[in-house]
């Protein structure tokens, strides 16, 4: 399957984050993408007024693995421990349409040519939808970075945007250096550690409770929303097959029942025009707005939790350094060393807490705005589709009763 | 035989040439007049014969449907399909009361549609209903008893309105008797719904969930449509077994139906088809009409089975959607309660409520899909099976005739041998047997011709009958209409109510 040049289609799908591309000093977008076999090649386009870049406008090709590399290096950077690192975009997943395509190929013999063509068209549309989604989510990742006061200045980020050669060499080196150490650490038992911390700061106490609870709820809601949109898609598929069968039935040479043929033709038209279009569109709009929203913020909250985790570790380190200092004082050995260590730990913890507070407050605001935008758009789309449906149905009824 | 063939071919030839206009040839009228001669059900009453009027009565159907479509339970939407029939007919008959006195002109197709409506107004009508399923007994011996009510103006019945209680095996028993008696004559005996061990077991065991309620409702509807088809057939209506079924207080328990399980029934139909397809090759078909018809029927059967599977899949998916929407609503409510921004929290709870209401819509639509769509397609598939059965009986009649001819030939050979062997006493016996078999051959040939004519008549009746039309004409319209009138507007209402809440988030 090859889709060449999704030109500006992606621009219409900025559903998840509210317009991040506001700051004219650094504007990033993905205007183009190519899908070869299952590898997606994104064209990352940058327009900037910053002097730190070599040119004011440029584009580079990037793969999904490059995005992951960028994300991981940011996570591993100690200086950013007090920041919410935007969640990494998920790997492009063409599994579902690919499987369906395979099944379609196997069943080709049992279908009429028209049925097969229709199903194929629908599958291509599904491929396209997956494609659009993955482009969007990669774009948003970059835009989150570019709109962050600290992260936008990251050296690796600049390399990612500018370096016109293959990044794969760098990627390999990075893996060898860090080995995903910190990342793996964070992944396991973060909740236990976060929950176990004796919190002195009210703000963080509240945040902790809120985030842990919210995370489990949004995870649940995401899963249920996904199931719901999948059901919608199934129904849309059923309507496609139904209309194709009715079509071949009404085209049957041997069907001698003229009236039946006529009615079937009408009914099939009705199905094809009204329900398929509308149901199919409802499924994908709902998915974009609701499911993607939930999915994205689920990952974002995980990123926020990671921040809490790092802070909790810093606090644990500080407490340990206190104990070490006491022990050193008792023994009368290496006291100054221990004092230094303790001071550093405290400093780290304070820095983390300060930036963490800012980040989490911003995060809250960002989340509310995004939810509002998406819920409003979703409701408006639902109304639009239902009204559309009514208009189409009216036409069908006139047709059916006028014969 | 050949004479009849050309006649019939002529008729069906015209039918083919008719095209998608509404002036059908005389043939249907002939069928009815023929039937009128045979039975006491003259179809003289005829409402309209112009296209304009036909459209008009259709609109009335829709108007009635608007009124009848009470927006809640699947029950009511199911009833609509039923009640809309008589109410539409009352309106169409009021439209055309003066026209009724006129002698029926060559039948236009709407005539026949309206005629079905008019049939109900006809003073020779019989209207049956199957209602109020009630569980009798407990455990594995339990069964469902249905109230079978008949409303009629026919003098052959004791009363105008009467009700009896019947159980499923009674219906099967009736079918068995009718198919035994009339099947071999080439009649298309309407088939009842299949037995379902799984479905009934759930009911017996007392599982009070929606799936067993669904099952009972589907069966009730199927039984009702089955019975109505039986009484609509002028020949079957005359059968004393039918009258007994409708009128008699207590029926002897039909035992032999135990073999008529769902799978067994289908196997029976399938075996018949195999037999037919095998025999059609052997049978020297002098009348291409039958061969073509059978092919049509078989191809239609294939398509409709596919259609049925797809609609059932749609029903399943819609039920899944309903369940998933309900689950999502719950999770959205939970998320709303965890949300610390007040306005967003309220919006999320509202979202949960909207999704909950939508879930109910999905449920209703699933029910509608089931009862107005899937069930009627299933009916149609069963009817197609019955049509194939009638073809099978014709083949059997042919076979009997051929076998008799072969036997006659053998007897003649025996006679010749005996003549040569000079055995005078055995010879007389042989001569007697020849006379006997000659009579049989003549009889079976006449039987075959009679059965062929009946099959042909029955098939044409089947084709033209409104039940065929009803499925394919009114059902799509009603389906579309229900979405137009009910589901879509509700969706709009719910989302428009939610919009201000979403906008209020700050």
């Amino acid at each position: 399957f090859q889709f060449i040049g999704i030109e500006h289609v992606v621009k219409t799908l900025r559903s998840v984050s509210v317009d991040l591309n506001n700051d004219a000093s650094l504007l990033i977008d993905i205007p183009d993408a190519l899908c070869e076999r299952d590898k997606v090649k994104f064209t990352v386009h940058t327009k900037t007024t910053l002097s730190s870049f070599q040119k004011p406008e440029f584009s580079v090709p990037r793969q999904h693995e490059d995005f992951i590399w960028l994300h991981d290096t940011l996570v591993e950077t100690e200086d950013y421990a007090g920041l919410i690192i935007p969640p990494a975009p998920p790997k492009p997943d063409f599994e579902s349409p690919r499987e369906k395509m395979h099944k379609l190929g196997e069943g080709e013999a049992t279908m009429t040519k028209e049925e097969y063509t229709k199903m194929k068209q629908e599958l291509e549309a599904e491929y396209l939808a997956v494609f659009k989604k993955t482009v969007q989510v990669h774009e948003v990742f970059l835009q989150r970075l570019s709109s962050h006061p600290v992260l936008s200045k990251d050296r690796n980020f600049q390399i990612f945007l500018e370096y016109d050669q293959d990044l794969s060499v760098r990627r390999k080196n990075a893996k060898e250096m860090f080995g995903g150490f910190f990342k793996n650490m964070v992944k396991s038992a973060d909740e236990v550690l976060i929950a176990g911390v004796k919190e002195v700061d009210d703000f963080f106490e509240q945040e902790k409770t809120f985030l842990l609870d919210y995370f489990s709820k949004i995870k649940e809601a995401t899963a249920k929303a996904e199931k719901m949109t999948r059901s919608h898609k199934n129904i849309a598929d059923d309507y496609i097959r139904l209309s194709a069968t009715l079509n071949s039935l009404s085209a049957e040479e041997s069907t001698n029942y003229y009236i039946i043929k006529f009615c079937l033709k009408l009914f099939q038209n009705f199905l094809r025009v009204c329900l398929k279009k509308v149901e199919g569109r409802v499924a994908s709009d709902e998915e974009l707005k609701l499911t993607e929203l939930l999915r994205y913020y689920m990952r974002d909250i995980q990123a926020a939790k990671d921040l809490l985790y790092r802070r909790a570790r810093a606090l644990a380190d500080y407490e340990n350094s206190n104990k070490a200092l006491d022990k050193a004082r008792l023994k009368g050995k290496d006291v100054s060393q221990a004092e230094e260590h303790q001071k550093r730990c405290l400093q780290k913890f304070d820095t983390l807490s300060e930036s963490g507070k800012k980040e989490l407050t911003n995060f809250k605001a960002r989340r509310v705005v995004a939810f509002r935008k998406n819920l409003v758009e979703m409701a408006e789309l639902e109304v639009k589709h239902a009204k559309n449906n009514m208009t189409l149905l009216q036409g069908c009824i006139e047709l059916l009763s006028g014969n | 035989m050949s004479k009849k063939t050309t006649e019939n071919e002529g008729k069906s030839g015209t039918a083919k040439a008719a095209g998608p206009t509404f002036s059908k040839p005389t043939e249907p009228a002939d069928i009815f007049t023929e039937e009128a001669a045979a039975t006491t059900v003259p179809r003289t009453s005829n409402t309209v014969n112009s296209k304009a009027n036909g459209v008009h009565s259709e609109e009335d159907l829709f108007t009635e449907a608007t009124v009848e479509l009470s927006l809640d339970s699947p029950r009511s939407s199911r009833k609509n399909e039923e009640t809309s029939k008589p109410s539409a007919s009352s309106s169409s008959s009021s439209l055309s009361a003066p026209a009724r006195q006129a002698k029926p002109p060559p039948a236009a197709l709407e005539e026949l549609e309206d005629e079905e409506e008019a049939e109900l107004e006809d003073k020779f009508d019989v209207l049956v209903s199957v209602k109020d399923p009630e569980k009798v007994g407990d455990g594995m011996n339990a069964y469902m008893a249905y109230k079978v009510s008949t409303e009629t103006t026919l003098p052959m019945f004791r009363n105008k309105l009467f009700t009896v209680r019947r159980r499923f095996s009674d219906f099967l028993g009736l079918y068995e008797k009718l198919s035994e008696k009339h099947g071999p004559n080439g009649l298309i005996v309407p088939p009842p719904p299949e037995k379902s061990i799984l479905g009934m077991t759930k009911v017996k065991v007392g599982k009070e969930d929606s799936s067993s309620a669904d099952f009972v409702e589907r069966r009730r509807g199927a039984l009702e449509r089955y019975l109505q088809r039986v009484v609509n057939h002028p020949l079957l209506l005359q059968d004393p077994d039918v009258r007994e079924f409708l009128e008699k207080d207590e029926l002897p328990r039909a035992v032999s139906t135990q073999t008529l399980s769902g799978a067994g029934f289908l196997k029976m139909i399938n075996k018949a088809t195999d037999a037919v397809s095998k025999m059609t090759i052997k049978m020297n078909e002098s009348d291409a009409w039958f061969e073509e018809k059978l092919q049509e029927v078989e191809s239609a059967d294939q398509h409709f089975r596919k259609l049925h599977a797809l609609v059932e899949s749609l029903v399943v998916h819609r039920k899944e959607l309903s369940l998933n929407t309900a689950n999502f609503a719950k999770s959205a409510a939970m998320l709303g309660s965890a949300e610390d921004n007040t306005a967003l929290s309220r919006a999320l709870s509202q979202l949960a409520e909207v999704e909950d209401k939508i879930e109910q819509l999905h449920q209703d639509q699933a029910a509608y899909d089931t009862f107005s769509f899937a069930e009627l397609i299933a009916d149609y598939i069963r009817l197609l099976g019955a049509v194939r059965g009638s073809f099978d009986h014709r083949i059997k009649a042919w076979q009997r005739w051929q076998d008799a001819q072969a036997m006659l030939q053998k007897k003649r050979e025996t006679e010749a041998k005996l003549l040569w062997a000079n055995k005078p006493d055995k010879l007389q016996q042989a001569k007697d047997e020849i006379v006997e078999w000659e009579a049989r051959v003549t009889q079976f040939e006449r039987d075959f011709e009679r059965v062929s004519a009946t099959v042909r008549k029955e098939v044409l009746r089947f084709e033209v009958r409104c039940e065929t039309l009803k499925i394919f004409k009114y059902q799509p319209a009603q389906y579309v209409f229900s979405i137009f009138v009910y589901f879509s507007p509700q969706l709009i209402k719910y989302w428009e109510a939610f919009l201000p809440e979403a906008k209020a988030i700050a």
Side-chain angles (χ1 to χ4, degrees):
Chain A
F1 256 113
Q2 283 216 343
F3 298 99
I4 302 179
I6 306 289
E7 304 204 348
H8 308 296
V9 167
V10 174
K11 288 209 166 49
T12 60
L13 295 176
R14 297 259 167 73
S15 64
V16 172
S17 287
V18 188
D19 235 357
L20 290 169
N21 239 11
N22 271 327
D23 185 3
S25 64
L26 185 61
L27 291 169
I28 306 175
D29 70 323
I30 301 181
D32 235 310
L34 190 82
C35 183
E36 255 166 22
R37 261 170 229 171
D38 286 332
K39 279 235 172 275
V40 183
K41 281 211 175 79
F42 304 93
T43 304
V44 179
H45 169 249
T46 313
K47 230 168 145 176
T48 177
T49 57
L50 300 171
S51 51
S52 46
F53 290 92
Q54 287 177 8
K55 286 185 268 186
E57 188 166 356
F58 47 88
S59 290
V60 290
R62 291 288 177 250
Q63 293 177 32
H64 171 73
E65 286 72 23
D66 300 327
F67 288 77
I68 300 302
W69 164 80
L70 178 59
H71 173 263
D72 290 351
T73 53
L74 294 173
V75 167
E76 303 285 344
T77 310
E78 280 261 8
D79 285 347
Y80 304 147
L83 306 175
I84 299 178
I85 312 292
K91 195 169 161 116
D93 180 18
F94 294 98
E95 187 59 43
S96 165
R98 200 180 345 137
E99 200 185 306
K100 280 192 189 168
M101 199 65 190
H102 187 68
K103 271 203 202 130
L104 182 68
E106 285 184 341
E108 185 177 355
T110 63
M111 315 184 185
T112 63
K113 189 157 165 263
E114 196 189 329
E115 221 178 310
Y116 178 75
T117 320
K118 276 215 187 86
M119 294 292 299
K120 188 151 174 275
Q121 278 176 351
E122 285 305 311
L123 272 182
E124 286 173 0
E126 203 176 314
Y127 253 104
L128 196 65
V130 171
F131 191 59
K132 281 187 202 171
K133 232 190 335 177
T134 193
V135 167
Q136 175 199 342
V137 94
H138 283 75
E139 191 184 68
V140 162
F141 171 69
L142 295 177
Q143 288 171 345
R144 278 281 297 276
L145 293 175
S146 68
S147 55
H148 195 284
V150 176
L151 293 172
S152 58
K153 301 193 178 65
D154 181 79
R155 176 81 192 119
N156 284 315
F157 184 44
Q158 190 172 347
I159 293 170
F160 177 93
L161 291 174
E162 226 181 9
Y163 189 60
D164 57 2
Q165 310 273 324
D166 201 345
L167 282 178
S168 51
V169 178
R170 279 180 185 262
R171 279 193 271 127
K172 249 189 285 175
N173 291 343
K175 258 216 176 91
E176 283 162 11
M177 264 210 324
F178 297 121
F181 171 68
F182 197 45
K183 200 167 66 153
N184 287 335
M185 242 184 22
V186 171
K187 283 296 180 259
S188 56
D190 56 355
E191 299 205 350
V192 176
L193 193 73
I194 295 172
V197 161
K198 271 190 302 283
E199 199 49 77
V200 287
D201 189 333
D202 260 347
F203 174 81
F204 281 101
E205 178 63 37
Q206 275 180 356
E207 279 305 300
K208 181 178 75 183
T209 319
F210 170 71
L211 283 176
L212 288 177
D213 183 35
Y214 201 78
F215 180 72
S216 69
K217 302 260 161 63
I218 199 170
K219 194 163 166 206
E220 180 77 5
T222 308
K224 295 293 180 317
E226 281 172 350
K227 269 185 148 172
M228 194 170 69
T229 36
R230 216 180 358 254
S231 284
H232 261 300
K233 278 213 184 104
N234 284 340
I235 290 179
D237 283 345
D238 281 339
Y239 278 129
I240 296 167
R241 271 187 236 113
L242 209 54
S243 90
T245 304
L246 284 171
N247 199 36
S248 30
L249 189 61
S250 62
E252 261 296 298
E253 284 284 308
S254 61
T255 309
N256 202 9
Y257 318 114
Y258 292 106
I259 302 306
I260 297 173
K261 268 165 89 166
F262 185 56
C263 295
L264 284 177
K265 194 117 200 107
L266 284 176
F267 193 31
Q268 181 249 330
N269 276 325
F270 153 69
L271 281 180
R272 186 159 31 97
V273 168
C274 306
L275 294 178
K276 188 192 81 173
K277 267 206 195 131
V278 179
E279 285 271 4
R281 243 187 271 143
V282 168
S284 56
D285 279 344
E286 194 182 74
E287 185 171 35
L288 276 178
K289 300 256 160 272
L290 190 60
T291 318
E292 277 304 299
L293 174 75
L294 292 171
R295 219 181 267 145
Y296 186 81
Y297 277 96
M298 181 181 79
R299 276 187 254 120
D300 221 1
I301 292 193
Q302 181 63 51
K305 273 168 64 187
D306 292 347
L307 168 60
L308 284 185
Y309 175 82
R310 292 192 288 268
R311 181 176 168 277
R313 279 214 74 92
L315 183 59
D317 288 344
Y318 171 61
E319 283 169 359
N320 288 339
S321 75
N322 265 335
K323 290 197 196 111
L325 181 58
D326 288 342
K327 231 164 94 178
R329 284 197 178 130
L330 231 72
K331 283 204 191 138
K333 239 173 83 173
D334 297 321
V335 176
S336 58
Q337 246 180 326
E339 276 179 351
E340 268 298 310
H341 180 63
Q342 190 241 36
K343 221 169 41 182
R344 270 202 309 276
C345 284
L346 181 59
Q347 208 172 25
K348 179 157 175 229
F349 176 68
D350 282 340
T351 320
L352 268 184
S353 298
E354 197 190 312
S355 91
K357 202 177 226 163
K358 237 192 316 195
E359 288 279 300
L360 287 169
T361 314
N362 288 341
F363 172 62
K364 215 182 273 293
R366 194 173 63 230
R367 189 183 78 244
V368 172
V369 171
F371 267 77
R372 181 189 189 279
K373 179 171 188 278
N374 282 278
L375 290 176
V376 168
E377 282 176 7
M378 181 177 76
E380 285 173 344
L381 278 168
E382 292 271 1
V383 172
K384 182 174 129 193
H385 284 146
K387 286 194 171 151
N388 226 23
N389 208 358
M390 300 268 301
T391 319
L392 290 170
L393 285 173
Q394 183 146 37
C396 285
I397 289 190
E398 284 166 9
L399 219 64
L400 274 171
S401 59
N403 68 43
Chain B
M1 184 66 202
S2 49
K3 194 166 144 222
K4 274 207 182 123
T5 310
T6 34
E7 263 179 23
N8 290 335
E9 258 178 12
K11 281 186 189 163
S12 54
T14 352
K16 282 198 169 92
T21 62
F22 290 91
S23 46
K24 261 253 171 156
T26 56
E27 156 192 66
D30 289 345
I31 292 174
F32 293 131
T33 7
E34 265 178 76
E35 282 181 347
T39 73
T40 57
V41 189
R43 308 281 158 96
T44 52
S45 64
N46 223 312
T47 50
V48 292
N49 58 4
S50 74
K51 190 166 178 178
N53 263 351
V55 171
H56 209 7
S57 70
E58 267 170 80
E59 281 173 8
D60 289 335
L61 182 71
F62 287 147
T63 332
E64 295 306 315
T66 326
V67 170
E68 297 293 323
L69 269 172
S70 74
L71 314 173
D72 283 293
S73 64
R75 225 24 201 323
S76 49
S77 65
R78 230 225 59 80
K79 279 193 201 133
N80 296 332
E81 177 208 303
E82 265 211 291
T83 55
S84 64
K85 208 165 63 153
S87 31
S89 65
S90 57
S91 60
S92 64
S93 65
S94 63
L95 266 180
S96 43
R100 267 168 136 227
Q101 314 307 322
K103 182 91 183 4
L109 206 56
E110 296 104 308
E111 276 181 57
L112 296 166
E113 295 162 18
D114 301 332
E115 202 181 85
E116 191 202 33
E117 316 304 324
E119 234 172 31
L120 306 167
E121 296 293 308
D122 200 319
K123 53 187 176 110
F124 300 103
D125 77 348
V126 181
L127 239 188
V128 293
S129 70
V130 176
K131 291 210 264 275
D132 303 333
E134 215 181 307
K135 187 165 163 199
V136 176
D138 265 314
M140 288 315 286
N141 290 322
Y143 62 90
M144 283 306 221
Y146 302 89
K147 278 216 187 85
V148 176
S149 302
T150 313
E151 200 183 314
T152 177
T153 53
L154 288 175
M156 71 180 177
F157 290 100
R158 266 181 264 132
N159 299 308
K160 290 217 163 79
L161 182 63
F162 47 93
T163 304
V164 291
R165 270 164 57 113
R166 295 286 179 256
R167 54 186 291 184
F168 183 67
S169 52
D170 295 332
F171 288 83
L172 292 187
L174 176 66
Y175 170 75
E176 269 222 35
K177 291 197 195 120
L178 293 177
S179 76
E180 247 177 66
K181 273 192 267 178
H182 302 279
N185 292 328
L187 246 69
I188 298 175
V189 182
E194 297 85 12
K195 251 191 178 194
S196 163
I197 299 175
L198 180 64
M200 261 328 271
T201 311
K202 270 204 232 168
V203 173
K204 285 180 188 180
V205 162
K207 208 162 179 248
E208 290 285 333
D209 66 351
S210 64
S211 68
S212 41
D214 255 7
F215 170 78
V216 172
E217 175 56 27
R218 283 173 110 148
R219 174 168 277 194
R220 185 208 62 79
L223 288 173
E224 191 176 78
R225 292 189 300 276
Y226 158 68
L227 201 57
Q228 188 63 54
R229 283 193 190 101
V230 170
V231 301
N232 282 347
H233 195 298
L235 279 173
L236 294 177
L237 183 58
Q238 299 303 308
D239 189 309
D241 280 325
V242 172
R243 245 175 297 157
E244 189 182 76
F245 182 89
L246 293 175
E247 272 187 327
K248 200 160 180 198
D249 280 324
E250 291 257 351
L251 277 187
R253 174 89 194 274
V255 180
S256 55
T257 65
Q258 314 218 317
T259 51
L260 263 180
S261 70
F265 190 76
L266 277 170
K267 240 192 276 176
M268 195 172 79
I269 301 279
N270 288 334
K271 261 209 298 218
T273 349
D274 290 337
V276 170
S277 48
K278 284 199 199 107
M279 283 193 216
T280 324
I281 303 168
K282 280 204 292 195
M283 173 169 173
N284 197 1
E285 189 60 83
S286 52
D287 190 350
W289 185 90
F290 288 96
E291 202 170 318
E292 284 168 20
K293 255 324 141 175
L294 186 60
Q295 261 182 337
E296 273 178 38
V297 169
E298 284 182 336
S299 132
D301 176 79
Q302 226 186 357
H303 283 292
F304 279 96
R305 277 183 199 269
K306 195 169 174 193
L307 202 64
H308 187 251
L310 287 177
V311 176
E312 289 283 351
S313 163
L314 180 66
V315 170
V316 165
H317 285 147
R318 210 174 272 288
K319 289 209 172 122
E320 272 175 15
L321 177 62
S322 167
L323 184 66
N324 290 336
T325 309
N327 286 338
F328 173 71
K330 282 197 209 95
S331 70
M334 296 282 282
L335 189 63
S337 66
E339 176 61 58
D340 58 356
N341 177 297
T342 330
L344 180 53
S345 167
R346 191 169 52 238
L348 286 171
S349 319
Q350 283 292 88
L351 179 66
E353 273 184 45
V354 169
E355 296 286 357
D356 237 346
K357 289 194 198 131
I358 290 177
E359 183 257 333
Q360 188 53 49
L361 279 184
H362 287 313
Q363 283 260 47
D364 290 347
Q365 186 148 21
Y368 200 89
D369 287 342
T370 312
F371 297 116
S372 68
F373 210 2
E375 282 296 286
L376 290 173
I377 295 179
D379 266 11
Y380 191 66
I381 294 171
R382 276 185 224 114
L383 282 166
L384 286 176
V387 173
R388 272 144 82 217
S390 78
F391 276 83
D392 179 42
H393 282 294
R394 174 176 172 268
I395 300 284
K396 287 207 185 97
W398 180 82
Q399 196 63 55
R400 230 177 291 127
W401 173 33
Q402 299 303 304
D403 291 346
Q405 279 187 320
M407 187 55 88
L408 177 63
Q409 185 60 25
K410 248 171 72 182
K411 297 295 176 192
R412 288 202 170 123
E413 282 167 9
T414 310
E415 185 202 29
K417 277 200 205 119
L418 287 175
L419 264 172
W420 196 82
N422 199 15
K423 294 201 179 132
D425 44 334
K426 284 213 176 115
L427 192 60
Q428 185 53 47
Q429 184 190 356
K431 282 201 198 289
D432 289 340
E433 281 179 359
I434 287 176
V435 170
E436 188 190 324
W437 279 99
E438 276 175 342
R440 284 221 185 105
V441 167
T442 315
Q443 179 60 49
F444 289 161
E445 182 179 357
R446 263 195 236 127
D447 282 349
F448 172 67
E449 288 176 5
R450 183 177 45 84
V451 171
S452 292
T454 307
V455 168
R456 193 183 216 124
K457 207 167 68 177
E458 285 281 285
V459 167
L460 288 169
R461 177 177 177 271
F462 170 72
E463 281 186 18
V464 162
R465 282 292 298 185
C466 302
E467 56 213 18
T468 313
L469 292 173
K470 180 154 74 138
I471 295 175
F472 302 112
K473 195 154 201 221
Y474 296 140
Q475 279 323 111
Q478 279 196 326
Y479 186 73
V480 172
F481 200 70
S482 75
I483 300 180
F484 182 74
V485 163
Y486 179 47
F487 297 114
S488 283
Q490 288 292 89
L491 272 180
I492 294 174
K493 204 171 78 178
Y494 296 151
W495 285 112
E496 280 184 336
F498 172 72
L499 205 49
E501 285 288 343
K503 287 190 170 153
I505 299 171

